[in-house]
């Protein structure tokens, strides 16, 4: 399941691509170079020191969770959005974007991926846009079972999910924080009558985990140590044409053309006073 990528290389091996195509996920050890790994860890520390991290949200509609809300039993972590669209830049992040661009090209052009059981018929990936964030789990952090892409929501534009671990290099199994990838037939829950079937991935430094966003329910097990990762999604340019259950999300330009200025102004005012609506309205 886990292979090792040459230090500093962004191109997956043929066996990695085969595993992704046949199983819907792949684990690649030593994906990041030592220098980039250290630089990204320092970037996380710098951003946390200046207060850029916030309590993580829950759900695809951006509902806020904290100690005073019922969502605390689903997710306990902090996040900081990054990426070219976030308006923040650093040398480490620029190098990261280059690595991810190479990875995206590999997924788009490899014949094995294009014909794979879990990876065929995916619409073209967006060349300009992806979702990226730093995720920080304090001691005792977790994220219960879920999928990253849900039919009927804007999250369904996510096609590949990725994690890059920035934990300290002496991470041990007893430190917890494993990524549990569920292989049963369920979505957010184990179906009644089925036995648990899962794979646990150790969050070891510099490891990449890549998987289909809509086909791999997963969770972060309770961590007994600070856990740091880059979390991201490659988005499609269009919905899957072969899946009638997928619902397309109109662009901002399309919404603007079909909604009156008065209605837009009212929606934006509502968005500003209700964070739970912000993601959907934007």
């Amino acid at each position: 399941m886990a292979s090792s990528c040459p230090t500093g290389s962004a191109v997956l091996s043929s066996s990695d691509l085969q595993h992704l195509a046949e199983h819907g996920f792949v684990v690649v050890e030593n994906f990041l170079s030592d220098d980039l790994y250290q630089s990204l860890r320092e970037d996380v520390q710098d951003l946390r020191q200046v207060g850029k991290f916030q309590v993580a949200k829950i759900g695809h509609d951006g509902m806020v969770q904290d100690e005073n809300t019922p969502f605390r039993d689903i997710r306990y972590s902090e996040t900081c959005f990054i990426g070219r669209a976030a308006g923040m830049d650093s040398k480490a992040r620029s190098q990261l974007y280059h690595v991810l661009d190479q990875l995206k090209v590999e997924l788009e052009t490899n014949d094995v991926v294009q014909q794979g059981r879990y990876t065929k018929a995916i619409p073209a990936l967006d060349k300009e846009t992806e979702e990226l964030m730093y995720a920080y789990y304090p001691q005792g952090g977790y994220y219960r079972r879920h999928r990253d892409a849900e039919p009927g929501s804007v999250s369904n534009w996510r096609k590949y999910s990725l994690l890059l671990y920035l934990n300290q290099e002496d991470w041990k199994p007893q430190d917890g924080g494993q990524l549990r990838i569920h292989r049963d037939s369920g979505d957010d829950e184990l179906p009644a009558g089925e036995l648990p079937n899962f794979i646990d991935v150790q969050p070891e430094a510099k490891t990449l985990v890549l998987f289909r966003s809509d086909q791999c329910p997963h969770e972060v097990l309770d961590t007994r140590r600070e856990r740091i990762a880059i979390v991201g999604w490659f988005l499609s340019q269009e919905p899957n044409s072969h899946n009638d259950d997928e619902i397309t999300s109109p662009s901002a330009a399309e919404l603007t053309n079909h909604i009156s200025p008065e209605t837009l102004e009212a929606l934006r005012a509502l968005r500003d006073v209700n964070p739970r609506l912000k993601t959907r309205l934007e």
Side-chain angles (χ1 to χ4, degrees):
M1 178 183 68
S3 65
S4 180
C5 183
T7 302
S9 173
V11 179
L12 299 183
S13 69
S14 58
S15 60
D16 291 331
L17 293 167
Q18 188 76 42
H19 197 282
L20 175 66
E22 292 181 357
H23 302 281
F25 76 98
V26 67
V27 180
V28 185
E29 298 173 350
N30 295 315
F31 183 80
L32 290 175
S33 68
D34 292 341
D35 289 344
L36 183 53
Y37 158 75
Q38 292 292 349
S39 297
L40 291 169
R41 275 186 58 85
E42 293 171 5
D43 193 38
V44 170
Q45 294 168 0
D46 292 343
L47 291 173
R48 293 197 72 240
Q49 287 177 356
V50 297
K52 294 294 185 181
F53 278 71
Q54 298 181 345
V55 173
K57 297 179 181 181
I58 186 70
H60 304 304
D61 56 357
M63 294 185 291
V64 177
Q65 59 133 5
D66 56 34
E67 295 286 351
N68 300 315
T69 69
F71 309 116
R72 178 66 166 76
D73 61 345
I74 299 175
R75 185 178 187 182
Y76 180 30
S77 63
E78 300 173 8
T79 56
C80 174
F81 283 90
I82 56 175
R84 284 160 282 209
M88 304 185 335
D89 197 13
S90 71
K91 182 178 179 180
R93 274 172 256 147
S94 295
Q95 293 176 353
L96 172 66
Y97 306 152
H98 178 68
V99 168
L100 296 182
D101 285 345
Q102 290 181 269
L103 176 58
K104 193 182 299 185
V105 169
E106 185 74 30
L107 296 174
E108 287 267 71
T109 58
N110 184 270
D111 291 339
V112 171
V113 174
Q114 296 305 308
Q115 301 300 321
R117 174 186 174 192
Y118 281 89
T119 54
K120 63 183 177 181
I122 295 178
L125 299 179
D126 195 309
K127 302 295 189 298
E128 301 287 332
T129 307
E130 65 267 319
E131 294 180 78
L132 286 175
M133 64 183 180
Y134 287 132
Y136 171 83
Y137 287 75
Q139 184 175 355
Y142 51 81
Y143 196 169
R144 302 310 183 208
R145 177 170 171 160
H146 65 283
R147 285 189 302 168
D148 287 346
E150 295 286 351
S153 80
V154 294
S155 69
N156 208 33
W157 291 75
R158 296 170 173 172
K159 299 307 169 188
Y160 291 101
S161 301
L162 65 93
L163 296 99
L164 282 166
Y165 293 117
L166 303 178
N167 295 318
Q168 293 185 358
E169 295 190 79
D170 60 345
W171 196 273
K172 301 178 178 60
Q174 56 265 35
D175 294 327
Q178 291 84 1
L179 177 73
R180 176 163 290 179
I181 300 175
H182 293 277
R183 308 301 291 166
D184 54 62
S185 66
D187 293 328
D188 291 344
E189 296 181 353
L190 176 69
E194 281 194 39
L195 294 175
N197 180 14
F198 55 81
I199 296 168
D200 285 348
V201 180
Q202 297 297 329
E204 296 178 348
K206 298 175 280 189
T207 294
L208 166 73
V209 185
L210 181 68
F211 56 91
R212 282 296 312 275
S213 300
D214 60 340
Q215 297 177 359
C216 292
H218 57 284
E219 62 182 302
V220 176
L221 303 185
D222 293 34
T223 180
R224 304 177 186 90
R225 186 177 181 181
E226 290 185 336
R227 180 185 187 274
I228 304 171
I230 296 165
V231 181
W233 299 270
F234 290 152
L235 311 178
S236 64
Q237 294 180 357
E238 56 186 280
N240 282 354
S241 59
H242 69 287
N243 189 342
D244 294 335
D245 292 331
E246 291 200 347
I247 297 177
T248 63
S249 176
S251 67
E254 290 171 330
L255 285 174
T256 302
N257 290 336
H258 291 85
I259 299 178
S260 69
E262 294 79 12
T263 303
L264 280 175
E265 183 177 355
L267 287 172
R268 287 166 181 153
L270 182 61
R271 172 202 64 189
D272 291 340
V273 299
N274 190 342
R276 293 176 62 173
L277 296 178
K278 183 174 182 180
T279 300
R280 286 182 181 228
L281 295 179
E282 291 185 339

